[in-house]
Amino acid sequence: MVNRLQFYIDGAWVDPAVKKSTPVVNPATEEAMYEVALGSKADVDKAVAAAKRAFETFSQTTREERVALLEKIITAYKARIKDIGASVSDEMGAPLPMAERLQAGAGLGHLTATLDVLKSYEFDEKHNQAVITKEPIGVVGMITPWNWPLNQIACKVAPAIAAGCTMILKPSEFTPTSALIFAEVMHEAGVPKGVFNLINGLGPEVGVAMSEHPDIDMVSFTGSTRAGIDVAKRAANTVKRVSQELGGKSPNVILEGADFVKAVTGGVAHMFNNSGQSCNAPSRMIVPQGAMKEIAAIAKAQADKTKAGDPRADGTVIGPVVNRGQWDKIQGLIQKGIEEGATLVAGGPGLPDGVNKGFYVRPTIFADVTENMTIAREEIFGPVLVIMGAKDESDALRIANDTPYGLAGYVSADTIESARKFGRRIRAGNVNLQGAPNDRTAPFGGYKQSGNGREWGKAGLEDFLEVKAIAGYDAA
């Protein structure tokens, strides 16, 4: 039994300071499955005190000790990977095979990638008569989202452990169970008490208390741009580091001469993966204006193959979106696209055919979308793709960069050289060429209102380190 009515603080499961809970709803059935405890400022204070005490010793551990600890965490995680996948499927609606392979698998991927980085990372660097050393930043508050729960937990916790930091995690209240299992993994692995702490709760209570806490040295936040701005403002009074991975409206540019069938089919499949609930989803497909009808037809064929249904049923490609609030928002934006004159190619408002309950969205594609339309500007965060026409490559680049976001970009061209040249000019933290997937050893993060700081690989470790210059280190 997963312990959902307690928090993990200072190496033990403890009762909340104030008994308060909220139901966790299965988005496929719209039924409450169980209650999860909600924390308060008092719980945050208790967890921060534990983390602060633990930092005194954990920050002084050797690389070898932290390597050994990460190896134990990986072993314990592997033993629970099916449990983690099942909980993600139930709580956020991902099809079960995808939840096990990609959702739970992403957490394992970040743990192993961070272990590889730690084994060879140079914490000290000679510079003339000085030594530049990298030290753990301190106590870290981590606020993670529901859309890729284990991906975001692991790509924060793993480098924090590798750096020698201690931490308090607040996972999303919509997907708490996978995080609670992760806490059990940390306990099973023998993580020293106080190093890892978990409190469930709401942003306006637990998130605010963490952002404002004077003994938290850094906040690592993943979520909406609106919430990220609030975190940064609240953190400013204590001048703590704030690392953020926020929203996106990423361009997928398909240039003249590209293989349209391959690029469009792959782009649509990527957009619909995880029911469109990915911050780096290729949600704006920018194509040669003259090929709009051809490309729309290819996109429609792929949408028609994308079955939205029960996450536990065979053949399901995408499940529901996470909750009623998200469903309502997406429905409103689909309707807005119709009202503003975009061409509805596939999908549309309402539930998919044959579905009468659950927060399911019809895989939807709009063509002939112009830059002033709401669906071209706002992050929809559902299985809704917009296709925009460009007069030429220069126009495609202008449209691609005409967004307040800058998390990701995608380019398909006739040659890799053409894709490289175009990709370098996209203002985004991650650019994928010719359908290539992300590399977990490379940095992940955004420009502009998509955030600051970087996660994954070496850059992810360095986000949790302070830089100290020791002059005269080699003086006689």
Side-chain angles (χ1 to χ4, degrees):
M1 285 289 294
V2 176
N3 191 343
R4 299 186 180 91
L5 294 178
Q6 291 184 308
F7 304 139
Y8 187 75
I9 298 175
D10 207 15
W13 293 97
V14 300
D15 291 330
V18 179
K19 286 197 173 181
K20 185 180 177 183
S21 65
T22 188
V24 179
V25 174
N26 184 320
T29 65
E30 303 185 39
E31 295 173 0
M33 296 180 286
Y34 34 72
E35 296 277 320
V36 65
L38 295 177
S40 63
K41 183 180 183 298
D43 299 301
V44 173
D45 288 342
K46 185 176 182 179
V48 172
K52 189 175 180 181
R53 286 193 301 270
F55 183 73
E56 294 300 317
T57 51
F58 191 66
S59 62
Q60 301 305 306
T61 53
T62 64
R63 178 208 308 271
E64 290 70 28
E65 288 172 317
R66 298 197 298 278
V67 163
L69 182 56
L70 276 174
E71 288 174 340
K72 290 176 182 176
I73 293 169
I74 289 168
T75 298
Y77 188 98
K78 286 178 177 177
R80 300 299 301 276
I81 204 158
K82 282 193 171 293
D83 295 337
I84 291 168
S87 69
V88 172
S89 181
D90 286 344
E91 293 181 348
M92 62 86 59
L96 184 58
M98 181 267 193
E100 289 182 1
R101 183 172 58 88
L102 298 182
Q103 291 274 5
L108 179 61
H110 286 300
L111 288 166
T112 56
T114 301
L115 175 62
D116 289 342
V117 170
L118 177 60
K119 286 177 177 178
S120 60
Y121 186 77
E122 295 294 337
F123 286 91
D124 288 350
E125 176 190 345
K126 290 277 188 75
H127 190 82
N128 296 326
Q129 291 298 310
V131 163
I132 300 169
T133 187
K134 311 284 180 61
E135 298 181 342
I137 193 168
V139 176
V140 181
M142 301 174 174
I143 302 172
T144 57
W146 47 262
N147 61 320
W148 286 92
L150 264 297
N151 181 79
Q152 291 308 127
I153 289 172
C155 76
K156 297 182 192 301
V157 172
I161 292 283
C165 295
T166 58
M167 65 214 74
I168 302 95
L169 169 67
K170 188 204 90 65
S172 169
E173 65 274 19
F174 299 118
T175 53
T177 300
S178 56
L180 291 164
I181 295 171
F182 187 84
E184 293 176 356
V185 165
M186 299 293 274
H187 187 82
E188 175 68 23
V191 175
K193 69 178 188 177
V195 170
F196 174 85
N197 306 274
L198 182 149
I199 301 172
N200 280 308
L202 304 178
E205 293 160 8
V206 173
V208 164
M210 289 169 63
S211 302
E212 294 179 345
H213 205 291
D215 289 334
I216 287 182
D217 302 290
M218 171 183 174
V219 174
S220 180
F221 173 84
T222 301
S224 71
T225 298
R226 176 198 54 76
I229 291 168
D230 186 68
V231 167
K233 286 179 177 178
R234 293 179 183 279
N237 287 335
T238 49
V239 200
K240 55 172 59 74
R241 182 181 298 175
V242 178
S243 181
Q244 301 178 323
E245 194 260 283
L246 307 175
K249 190 71 175 176
S250 301
N252 181 8
V253 182
I254 300 175
L255 298 173
E256 198 74 64
D259 182 334
F260 286 167
V261 172
K262 179 181 178 182
V264 174
T265 300
V268 172
H270 188 173
M271 179 62 227
F272 290 161
N273 185 43
N274 206 39
S275 298
Q277 300 172 120
S278 299
C279 48
N280 64 337
S283 53
R284 290 185 298 142
M285 186 176 284
I286 302 167
V287 306
Q289 185 65 58
M292 177 66 72
K293 287 187 178 180
E294 177 187 356
I295 284 172
I298 298 169
K300 173 178 167 50
Q302 182 64 25
D304 290 344
K305 295 177 187 175
T306 306
K307 180 185 176 184
D310 183 349
R312 298 293 182 110
D314 291 340
T316 294
V317 178
I318 62 172
V321 296
V322 71
N323 57 38
R324 170 67 65 185
Q326 287 296 118
W327 191 87
D328 287 343
K329 177 193 170 190
I330 294 163
Q331 295 300 313
L333 286 165
I334 291 172
Q335 189 59 44
K336 194 78 170 175
I338 293 169
E339 291 170 1
E340 291 184 352
T343 302
L344 184 63
V345 172
L351 294 170
D353 293 342
V355 174
N356 57 19
K357 66 177 178 178
F359 307 127
Y360 294 94
V361 176
R362 299 171 69 192
T364 298
I365 295 175
F366 285 101
D368 304 308
V369 175
T370 58
E371 295 166 77
N372 61 334
M373 292 181 181
T374 304
I375 57 173
R377 310 298 303 177
E378 291 191 18
E379 184 179 34
I380 299 173
F381 225 62
V384 181
L385 173 69
V386 302
I387 307 178
M388 309 173 72
K391 293 178 288 187
D392 51 30
E393 285 195 17
S394 176
D395 194 38
L397 181 66
R398 181 189 61 76
I399 295 170
N401 289 332
D402 182 21
T403 172
Y405 299 110
L407 186 56
Y410 304 82
V411 184
S412 295
D414 55 346
T415 66
I416 187 61
E417 290 80 9
S418 297
R420 287 171 183 159
K421 182 179 177 181
F422 194 96
R424 284 184 175 275
R425 299 181 68 190
I426 292 179
R427 297 283 296 164
N430 297 84
V431 177
N432 300 60
L433 308 180
Q434 307 289 65
N438 283 331
D439 183 336
R440 284 199 186 100
T441 65
F444 184 87
Y447 288 17
K448 300 186 282 186
Q449 291 186 29
S450 286
N452 51 48
R454 290 296 181 270
E455 295 180 321
W456 304 14
K458 180 181 176 183
L461 172 59
E462 291 178 334
D463 231 29
F464 294 92
L465 296 172
E466 285 280 24
V467 179
K468 177 187 286 184
I470 308 176
Y473 196 87
D474 284 342

